[in-house]
mmCIF file of all heavy atoms in Angstrom:
data_model
loop_
_atom_site.group_PDB
_atom_site.id
_atom_site.type_symbol
_atom_site.label_atom_id
_atom_site.label_comp_id
_atom_site.label_asym_id
_atom_site.label_seq_id
_atom_site.Cartn_x
_atom_site.Cartn_y
_atom_site.Cartn_z
ATOM 1 N N PHE G 491 -7.611 13.095 17.547
ATOM 2 C CA PHE G 491 -8.261 14.327 16.995
ATOM 3 C C PHE G 491 -9.763 14.039 16.933
ATOM 4 O O PHE G 491 -10.176 13.114 16.442
ATOM 5 C CB PHE G 491 -7.718 14.518 15.479
ATOM 6 C CG PHE G 491 -6.282 14.822 15.481
ATOM 7 C CD1 PHE G 491 -5.314 13.788 15.423
ATOM 8 C CD2 PHE G 491 -5.795 16.128 15.430
ATOM 9 C CE1 PHE G 491 -3.978 14.096 15.380
ATOM 10 C CE2 PHE G 491 -4.508 16.404 15.368
ATOM 11 C CZ PHE G 491 -3.562 15.363 15.325
ATOM 12 N N LYS G 492 -10.456 15.020 17.542
ATOM 13 C CA LYS G 492 -11.938 14.791 17.683
ATOM 14 C C LYS G 492 -12.669 15.782 16.766
ATOM 15 O O LYS G 492 -12.245 16.932 16.555
ATOM 16 C CB LYS G 492 -12.336 14.995 19.173
ATOM 17 C CG LYS G 492 -11.820 13.956 20.018
ATOM 18 C CD LYS G 492 -12.381 14.129 21.462
ATOM 19 C CE LYS G 492 -11.796 13.042 22.416
ATOM 20 N NZ LYS G 492 -12.352 13.174 23.813
ATOM 21 N N PRO G 493 -13.788 15.377 16.199
ATOM 22 C CA PRO G 493 -14.444 16.201 15.229
ATOM 23 C C PRO G 493 -15.090 17.436 15.882
ATOM 24 O O PRO G 493 -15.633 17.328 17.048
ATOM 25 C CB PRO G 493 -15.599 15.355 14.680
ATOM 26 C CG PRO G 493 -15.792 14.256 15.678
ATOM 27 C CD PRO G 493 -14.450 14.040 16.373
ATOM 28 N N VAL G 494 -15.031 18.616 15.203
ATOM 29 C CA VAL G 494 -15.653 19.817 15.732
ATOM 30 C C VAL G 494 -16.618 20.447 14.680
ATOM 31 O O VAL G 494 -17.310 21.430 14.984
ATOM 32 C CB VAL G 494 -14.598 20.898 16.181
ATOM 33 C CG1 VAL G 494 -13.785 20.363 17.263
ATOM 34 C CG2 VAL G 494 -13.678 21.234 14.992
ATOM 35 N N LEU G 495 -16.620 19.899 13.496
ATOM 36 C CA LEU G 495 -17.476 20.469 12.428
ATOM 37 C C LEU G 495 -18.933 20.090 12.689
ATOM 38 O O LEU G 495 -19.234 19.008 13.081
ATOM 39 C CB LEU G 495 -17.021 19.828 11.024
ATOM 40 C CG LEU G 495 -17.624 20.468 9.735
ATOM 41 C CD1 LEU G 495 -17.126 21.874 9.645
ATOM 42 C CD2 LEU G 495 -17.243 19.544 8.564
ATOM 43 N N GLU G 496 -19.742 21.127 12.391
ATOM 44 C CA GLU G 496 -21.196 20.816 12.623
ATOM 45 C C GLU G 496 -21.716 19.905 11.567
ATOM 46 O O GLU G 496 -21.296 19.869 10.465
ATOM 47 C CB GLU G 496 -22.002 22.165 12.505
ATOM 48 C CG GLU G 496 -21.741 23.144 13.620
ATOM 49 C CD GLU G 496 -22.478 24.501 13.487
ATOM 50 O OE1 GLU G 496 -23.288 24.550 12.535
ATOM 51 O OE2 GLU G 496 -22.326 25.378 14.283
ATOM 52 N N GLU G 497 -22.689 19.049 12.044
ATOM 53 C CA GLU G 497 -23.255 17.989 11.137
ATOM 54 C C GLU G 497 -23.866 18.502 9.868
ATOM 55 O O GLU G 497 -23.652 17.910 8.817
ATOM 56 C CB GLU G 497 -24.220 17.158 11.940
ATOM 57 C CG GLU G 497 -24.874 15.955 11.131
ATOM 58 C CD GLU G 497 -23.729 14.889 10.870
ATOM 59 O OE1 GLU G 497 -22.723 14.795 11.578
ATOM 60 O OE2 GLU G 497 -23.952 14.120 9.854
ATOM 61 N N GLU G 498 -24.572 19.566 9.911
ATOM 62 C CA GLU G 498 -25.212 20.080 8.705
ATOM 63 C C GLU G 498 -24.193 20.482 7.655
ATOM 64 O O GLU G 498 -24.325 20.202 6.484
ATOM 65 C CB GLU G 498 -26.089 21.262 9.112
ATOM 66 C CG GLU G 498 -26.898 21.857 7.895
ATOM 67 C CD GLU G 498 -27.787 22.933 8.237
ATOM 68 O OE1 GLU G 498 -27.810 23.314 9.483
ATOM 69 O OE2 GLU G 498 -28.436 23.557 7.391
ATOM 70 N N LEU G 499 -23.100 21.234 8.116
ATOM 71 C CA LEU G 499 -22.086 21.598 7.213
ATOM 72 C C LEU G 499 -21.304 20.410 6.641
ATOM 73 O O LEU G 499 -20.909 20.391 5.438
ATOM 74 C CB LEU G 499 -21.073 22.579 7.899
ATOM 75 C CG LEU G 499 -19.929 23.086 7.006
ATOM 76 C CD1 LEU G 499 -20.456 23.737 5.749
ATOM 77 C CD2 LEU G 499 -19.171 24.025 7.848
ATOM 78 N N ARG G 500 -21.122 19.478 7.450
ATOM 79 C CA ARG G 500 -20.439 18.128 7.040
ATOM 80 C C ARG G 500 -21.178 17.488 5.894
ATOM 81 O O ARG G 500 -20.602 17.118 4.865
ATOM 82 C CB ARG G 500 -20.282 17.194 8.206
ATOM 83 C CG ARG G 500 -19.534 15.880 7.801
ATOM 84 C CD ARG G 500 -19.537 14.814 8.899
ATOM 85 N NE ARG G 500 -18.878 15.361 10.069
ATOM 86 C CZ ARG G 500 -19.474 15.581 11.242
ATOM 87 N NH1 ARG G 500 -20.773 15.353 11.376
ATOM 88 N NH2 ARG G 500 -18.799 16.156 12.285
ATOM 89 N N LYS G 501 -22.505 17.437 6.026
ATOM 90 C CA LYS G 501 -23.319 16.817 5.032
ATOM 91 C C LYS G 501 -23.263 17.613 3.707
ATOM 92 O O LYS G 501 -23.211 17.013 2.590
ATOM 93 C CB LYS G 501 -24.763 16.636 5.486
ATOM 94 C CG LYS G 501 -24.939 15.588 6.587
ATOM 95 C CD LYS G 501 -26.330 15.486 7.070
ATOM 96 C CE LYS G 501 -26.573 14.412 8.097
ATOM 97 N NZ LYS G 501 -27.945 14.307 8.534
ATOM 98 N N LYS G 502 -23.301 18.932 3.838
ATOM 99 C CA LYS G 502 -23.277 19.751 2.621
ATOM 100 C C LYS G 502 -21.880 19.610 1.880
ATOM 101 O O LYS G 502 -21.902 19.577 0.653
ATOM 102 C CB LYS G 502 -23.483 21.263 2.983
ATOM 103 C CG LYS G 502 -24.852 21.622 3.417
ATOM 104 C CD LYS G 502 -25.006 23.111 3.762
ATOM 105 C CE LYS G 502 -26.466 23.494 4.128
ATOM 106 N NZ LYS G 502 -26.544 24.948 4.412
ATOM 107 N N LYS G 503 -20.877 19.553 2.664
ATOM 108 C CA LYS G 503 -19.534 19.410 2.072
ATOM 109 C C LYS G 503 -19.386 18.008 1.382
ATOM 110 O O LYS G 503 -18.825 17.857 0.231
ATOM 111 C CB LYS G 503 -18.427 19.533 3.090
ATOM 112 C CG LYS G 503 -18.282 20.967 3.611
ATOM 113 C CD LYS G 503 -17.250 21.105 4.684
ATOM 114 C CE LYS G 503 -15.818 20.808 4.131
ATOM 115 N NZ LYS G 503 -15.346 21.942 3.274
#
Side-chain angles (χ1 to χ4, degrees):
F491 297 85
K492 296 183 178 180
V494 295
L495 190 67
E496 293 181 2
E497 182 65 23
E498 183 178 355
L499 180 55
R500 180 185 302 117
K501 290 180 178 179
K502 286 181 179 179
K503 289 177 70 68

